[in-house]
Amino acid sequence: MFLKKIKTPGLSHLSYILGSNGKAAVIDPRRDCEIYLEIASQQGLEITHIFETHRNEDLITGSPHLGQMTKAKIYHGPNAAGPIAFADIISDQQEFKIGNIKVVALETPGHTKDHVAYAFYDENHDDGAVGVFTGDALFVGDVGRTDFYPDEMKEMAGALYDSLHKVMDLGDQALIYPAHGAGSVCGSGMAEREFSSICHERKNNPRLQLSKAEFVDAKVNEVHYQPPYFENMERLNLVGAGPVPRVLVPKVLSFSEFKGQRFDVLIDVRDTMSFASGHMKGAISLPVGMLPAFGGWFLNKDQKIGLIGDSMDQLSQAMEHLWRIGFDDIVGGYTGFVKSVAQGGAFDRIPTLSTRTVKKRIEEADENWVLLDVRAQDEVEKIKIDEAQHVYIGHLNEAWEDLDPQKHYTLMCASGQRATVAAGWLQSKGFSQVDIYLGSMGAWQAER
């Protein structure tokens, strides 16, 4: 038996290739799916099956393209939001043969209505399920979110509880293989490690210690955020998206070309402190490592995008992150910001403040100054600065229209990273008085 995990950086997406006796299945492939062909070739395997645990919300599936390349059959669970144009619909307990491996589909609704887990067995050894691909139902240390059906939250939470116990019935010996690891928007309580067993989760996963009533109550009261791009991902994962762009690096433009190009949005993918120190006028800050989490909040699917970075490698990584979440129209990139300033290019900067200055401003109680906390709701509930106004960073994509551009805003988060992204966004919308609380809540706590 051969089993390999493929991790997609940024999205913390986990997909798998499972093989035996020259045959292989891929579970939840990502859009850039050539990697599965490379692994299969190295192992002497033919990909014959593609299994989807559910219609993903946070990334584009690679199943249609991988299916075309391999002629493998694609399988998806029942009760999706619409017809899955590229897959066969399977039912509970349906079995598949992959060499000496038996794969059994388990309907496990809750996270989504079409969710399916896949248990697999070694037919040479009658000792129960070897493992189970749990998708977004069960993670290491956490369970899936159940907020995608706002009018049916209690029903979906109850369904997930039942589904999790259906997975638990596979036995303590079974290993679990989830579709996401720590850092994913699909759960905030995941452990850093990406391996576990049903035995370990049964004893240690906090959500699995609850009664059904307690579980439903806990899930209904969770606060999750849904970026606007989720809607596009859901649509593309029903009809099937095209393959990734053939060119994997943006066209490199000179300063004059870049200046003369018409972009709908300029994204500065350098680190936040470089952005704060100086950036092209009108650019927003979305560092490479933060693009998967926050790009979908501030970008629209039809925008023509320009990238600004320190190196071609940085631009290439940014492009990779963007087309994994459906933003393909990247017109060009530029890597010479400092040189552009030397050539007379216009630039902006955003000042940074210390805790001492923030405390002084709070004491002065200037009605024209606002300390704006852009952390998530659960972070604010744990610890906050009472005088701060709270708007989640992603919600600024629309909430900026409710703010007063004549006022002075100091942005804060946990460390200053998200605050810089938020400050850059407000500045791009015409807010001239913005600055960043450097260190933010971490610095505030350190001085208590």
Side-chain angles (χ1 to χ4, degrees), residues 22 37 158 287 338 345 369:
L37 292 171
V338 174
W369 175 75

Side-chain angles (χ1 to χ4, degrees), residues 26-27 29-31 33-37 47 49-50 62-72 74:
V26 175
I27 298 86
R30 67 191 192 192
R31 190 182 185 192
C33 53
E34 286 78 6
I35 188 169
Y36 308 105
L37 292 171
I47 297 173
H49 296 70
I50 301 168
S63 293
H65 188 44
L66 185 60
Q68 288 175 356
M69 291 191 293
T70 62
K71 307 304 180 189
I74 304 167

Side-chain angles (χ1 to χ4, degrees), residues 367-385:
E367 64 179 16
N368 287 314
W369 175 75
V370 178
L371 179 60
L372 195 60
D373 187 341
V374 298
R375 294 176 298 155
Q377 182 63 39
D378 60 342
E379 295 175 276
V380 175
E381 289 173 356
K382 289 175 185 173
I383 184 167
K384 64 179 180 178
I385 298 174

Side-chain angles (χ1 to χ4, degrees), residues 166-365:
K166 186 175 185 177
V167 171
M168 294 294 107
D169 288 344
L170 292 171
D172 284 350
Q173 81 290 338
L175 302 176
I176 72 162
Y177 299 92
H180 287 97
S184 165
V185 296
C186 293
S188 58
M190 299 181 208
E192 289 291 334
R193 56 190 168 78
E194 293 163 359
F195 57 91
S196 191
S197 65
I198 286 179
C199 177
H200 186 87
E201 295 305 307
R202 191 194 306 277
K203 293 179 180 178
N204 299 288
N205 191 312
R207 293 303 193 209
L208 297 180
Q209 313 310 311
L210 304 177
S211 68
K212 186 170 185 176
E214 291 170 333
F215 182 92
V216 170
D217 185 61
K219 296 302 290 180
V220 166
N221 286 289
E222 286 180 347
V223 177
H224 293 285
Y225 298 103
Q226 295 187 34
Y229 87 99
F230 273 19
E231 185 177 340
N232 191 41
M233 296 301 93
E234 291 168 356
R235 180 185 64 82
L236 290 174
N237 289 336
L238 288 176
V239 302
V244 298
R246 296 182 67 85
V247 179
L248 302 184
V249 292
K251 181 181 179 182
V252 184
L253 304 174
S254 67
F255 177 54
S256 60
E257 289 173 328
F258 199 81
K259 210 164 74 166
Q261 189 63 247
R262 303 195 74 166
F263 301 107
D264 294 317
V265 61
L266 277 179
I267 307 175
D268 192 320
V269 300
R270 299 174 301 151
D271 67 83
T272 52
M273 286 302 94
S274 294
F275 178 86
S277 298
H279 55 269
M280 285 189 181
K281 280 188 174 294
I284 62 172
S285 174
L286 284 170
V288 170
M290 299 173 74
L291 261 175
F294 298 110
W297 284 103
F298 298 110
L299 305 176
N300 295 320
K301 63 184 177 66
D302 297 321
Q303 288 179 316
K304 295 186 181 301
I305 298 170
L307 299 177
I308 303 162
D310 285 324
S311 66
M312 280 306 301
D313 182 59
Q314 199 175 58
L315 295 183
S316 179
Q317 287 181 53
M319 188 174 185
E320 193 173 71
H321 286 318
L322 286 168
W323 47 245
R324 281 176 178 154
I325 57 174
F327 299 101
D328 293 352
D329 200 356
I330 300 164
V331 178
Y334 182 67
T335 59
F337 170 71
V338 174
K339 187 187 294 185
S340 75
V341 175
Q343 295 176 37
F347 71 97
D348 276 324
R349 60 181 296 274
I350 302 178
T352 58
L353 306 182
S354 66
T355 300
R356 184 176 181 179
T357 303
V358 170
K359 285 184 175 180
K360 183 181 178 184
R361 288 186 178 177
I362 290 173
E363 290 168 3
E364 291 171 348

